[in-house]
Amino acid sequence: MNKSQITSSIFLSLILIVSVVLNTTASYIMLFKVKKKELMHLFIISLSTTNLLESIVGITPQIIFSEQSLLRKTPLCIFSGFAVFGFAVTSITHMSAFSLIRTVIVKYPIYYFQRYKAFHYKAALILSCYVYGFSWATFPFIGWSKYEVDLDKKRCSLDWKLSQSESPSFFLAILIFCNILPGTVIALGLYFSTKIIHRRKACKTRQDKNKTLDILEMEYLKVNFLSAILYFVIWTPYAIVSILTLLKITVPAYLVTVSALFSKLSTISNVLINCFINKSFQKHLLNLRLIRFLANTNFKRRLKNHSSTSCHFFKLEQK
C-alpha cells in the first residue's frame, strides 16, 4: 500500500467513525430526548439516518478494498453504487427542503405553524426527498445510462466514460436537477432569509418583546449561511467532473477520487450544522449519561491533580 492509499484509508476511516458517532447521537437525541417533535426535528432524524447509511454503505467497501482496483462489476458493487448515489441525492434534497422550510418560517411563521403540524404534511415532505433521490438512482437500471466501475477503479459509480449513448443526457440532467437546482434553492433561501431579517431589524417598530424572535431568526440565518457555503465546497468538485465529462474532456482519476472524498464530508457537515451548533441540542447533548460520566471523570482527575500539586507545594513551604 503506497502513501496515497494509506492517507485515503485513514481519511475515510476518520469520516466513517465521526459520521457514525455524530449521526447516531443526533438521531438518539431527536428520537428520545426531544419531547415535542416538529417538522425540523423529523427532517434532522431523516437526514441523519440518510447520512449514516450513506457513510456505512459507501465508505466501508472502500476501506476494505483500498489495496485493490476493481476490474469488473459485481452485483454487490452495483448495489453499492446505487445506494450511495440514491442516498447522496436524497441528502442534497433534504438540504434544499431545509432551506425552503427555514425561509417559510422566517417569511410566514404563522402560516408555517398552522399548516405543518399535521402528520401527513411531515410524512409527505420527508418521503418526497427519498422518492426524488432514489428515482435518479433507479434510472440507470432502466436504460438511462448505467452503473460502471469508476475512473479511479475504487468503486462502482456512474458511466463517466460515456460508454452508453444515453449517458450524456443523463449526466446533463443530474448536473441540472441534482446539483445546480438544489444549489440555486439553497442560495435563494439564504438570500431571501437575509433580506427579510435585515429589513425587519431595520424597522423601528420592532419592540423588546421580539428579542426571542430575533434570536431565532439569526439562528436560522446562521444555519442557512453555513449550509450554503458547505454545499458549494463539498459538491462543486463533482459538478466540475460532470461538466468536463459532458465536454468530453478526459477527467484525471485523481480528480474523481478527490470529488468522492469531498462528497463524503457531507455525512458529517450536515449533522454539525443542523444539530451540534444549536444551543438547544447542546443542552440535550450535555445531559446524556455518557457525556456527564466523562465530564465527571475528567473533573475528578483534574481535582486530584490539583490536590496533589497543592500538597506538594505545602510540603515545600514547610521545609
Side-chain angles (χ1 to χ4, degrees), residues 143-310:
W144 195 11
S145 190
K146 63 177 181 177
Y147 288 104
E148 189 57 81
V149 176
D150 215 334
L151 294 177
D152 59 1
K153 298 181 180 179
K154 295 298 182 184
R155 70 198 72 80
C156 275
S157 184
L158 302 176
D159 182 23
W160 296 104
K161 295 180 181 179
L162 303 181
S163 58
Q164 190 167 311
S165 59
E166 293 82 4
S167 292
S169 62
F170 181 69
F171 272 94
L172 180 60
I174 61 174
L175 176 63
I176 294 172
F177 294 103
C178 302
N179 194 294
I180 296 176
L181 180 60
T184 303
V185 171
I186 292 170
L188 288 175
L190 174 62
Y191 170 75
F192 285 116
S193 297
T194 305
K195 187 177 179 180
I196 294 165
I197 290 172
H198 285 302
R199 186 174 61 197
R200 287 176 179 169
K201 286 177 70 68
C203 183
K204 294 181 180 180
T205 59
R206 301 275 288 207
Q207 303 296 324
D208 290 340
K209 63 182 181 180
N210 289 323
K211 284 185 177 180
T212 303
L213 184 60
D214 288 339
I215 294 171
L216 182 62
E217 288 178 346
M218 293 310 295
E219 281 292 320
Y220 283 139
L221 186 60
K222 178 176 69 173
V223 173
N224 273 359
F225 176 75
L226 291 175
S227 296
I229 294 297
L230 286 173
Y231 175 83
F232 289 107
V233 168
I234 289 171
W235 293 107
T236 296
Y238 257 128
I240 294 172
V241 172
S242 298
I243 293 170
L244 292 176
T245 300
L246 288 169
L247 295 175
K248 297 184 178 180
I249 298 173
T250 303
V251 181
Y254 72 86
L255 183 58
V256 176
T257 303
V258 170
S259 301
L261 293 177
F262 261 75
S263 68
K264 299 297 185 288
L265 290 173
S266 66
T267 63
I268 296 174
S269 64
N270 291 335
V271 72
L272 287 175
I273 292 171
N274 292 293
C275 293
F276 285 85
I277 67 170
N278 184 281
K279 292 181 179 179
S280 177
F281 181 88
Q282 291 172 7
K283 291 179 181 178
H284 287 295
L285 180 65
L286 293 175
N287 284 327
L288 292 178
R289 289 183 180 180
L290 178 61
I291 300 298
R292 283 186 294 173
F293 172 77
L294 293 174
N296 290 334
T297 302
N298 185 48
F299 174 76
K300 290 177 181 178
R301 188 184 299 112
R302 290 172 62 185
L303 184 64
K304 183 178 180 181
N305 291 337
H306 179 72
S307 300
S308 300
T309 306
S310 299

Side-chain angles (χ1 to χ4, degrees), residues 116-117 121 196 220:
Y116 291 95
K117 292 286 185 180
Y121 275 111
I196 294 165
Y220 283 139

Side-chain angles (χ1 to χ4, degrees), residues 24-37:
T24 303
T25 303
S27 298
Y28 174 79
I29 289 176
M30 290 298 169
L31 282 170
F32 301 106
K33 299 299 179 180
V34 177
K35 295 180 179 179
K36 192 176 180 181
K37 294 177 178 60

Side-chain angles (χ1 to χ4, degrees), residues 81-99:
F82 162 78
V84 171
F85 183 42
F87 284 130
V89 179
T90 300
S91 175
I92 291 173
T93 310
H94 273 79
M95 294 170 65
S96 303
F98 262 131
S99 182

